[in-house]
Amino acid sequence: MAENRGRFITFEGIDGCGKSTQIHRLKQRMETMSLPCWETFEPSSGPVGSMLRQCLSGRMKTDERTMATLFAADRLDHLLNDQDGIFLKIRQGIHVICDRYTLSNYAYQGVSTSLDWIEGLNSEAGKILRPDYHIFIDVEPEVSLERMAKTRFHRDLYETRERLTEVRNCYFSLIDRFQEDENILVVDGSQEADAIAETIWENISFLFE
Ligand code: TYD
């Protein structure tokens, strides 16, 4: 791909870790610098993503393996669709910031299904485009649950202490497994939002030079 392609940054972490705040700050900073950027999220707003949101809210019931497959299918559609697909934006020189990506699939569905299998499900997406940086914002499940108690009326499928603990542990083993091949930044999410934003920028600003 041409060198003036956009960069692809993904944010990861357990629910309530503060991703939204940091995504917003990064986008604002990039806009101030006149860097073209586009913010997006998974599950996406596309057809498969909408189905997944119904599964997460409990409106639709399905098996964990089906969920894992749907998340991977949603990712491919999010990447490849010709209206607002990530790959299209990147080719147009637009930087993409995505709230959750492949690591979420491994960390959340890896708790109940096989990691190797999920790796297989995501292999096509990996051949097409890999994030330039994965930013993992780490918080203890207690912090995450406290934050969610203040801001949300309803808890989604994975938003229990037990599951969040398993997911966080899964994130740590993934980081060990992938850190040689992928750029992964682990940030302490219990710090002030300004300090977190600075750490993120110090580590990724070189991508935009
Ligand atoms: P989240 O970013 O927390 O969205 P919201 O702020 O709307 O609650 O993501 C929704 C849930 O989707 C979250 O619990 C994690 C889950 N998820 C997976 O289980 N696997 C995946 O591959 C992705 C992308 C998300």
Side-chain angles (χ1 to χ4, degrees), residues 1-8 36 38 78-96 128-129 132:
M1 211 188 299
E3 247 325 280
N4 63 354
R5 71 168 184 94
R7 305 293 174 203
F8 183 29
W38 185 65
H78 193 198
L79 196 53
L80 294 174
N81 85 74
D82 58 11
Q83 293 188 6
D84 58 1
I86 297 172
F87 194 54
L88 180 73
K89 302 278 180 192
I90 296 281
R91 272 203 319 249
Q92 290 169 336
I94 299 168
H95 306 299
V96 175
I128 298 162
L129 183 72
D132 292 288

Side-chain angles (χ1 to χ4, degrees), residues 9 16 20 29 61 83 88 92 104 113 119 137 141 146 152 180 190 201 205:
I9 316 289
S20 312
R29 189 187 292 251
K61 298 247 178 287
Q83 293 188 6
L88 180 73
Q92 290 169 336
S104 285
T113 63
E119 200 165 2
I137 305 184
E146 250 172 59
R152 301 191 195 178
E180 287 204 352
S190 66
W201 186 246
S205 56

Side-chain angles (χ1 to χ4, degrees), residues 15-16 19-20 42-43 53 56 71-72 75 99-102 104-106 108-109 152 156 158-159:
D15 303 77
K19 286 181 285 103
S20 312
E42 288 190 3
R53 295 221 175 258
L56 288 165
F71 278 114
R75 185 154 305 117
D99 186 341
R100 300 197 179 281
Y101 200 63
T102 39
S104 285
N105 213 172
Y106 295 120
Y108 280 79
Q109 282 67 51
R152 301 191 195 178
D156 275 353
Y158 301 133
E159 296 174 350

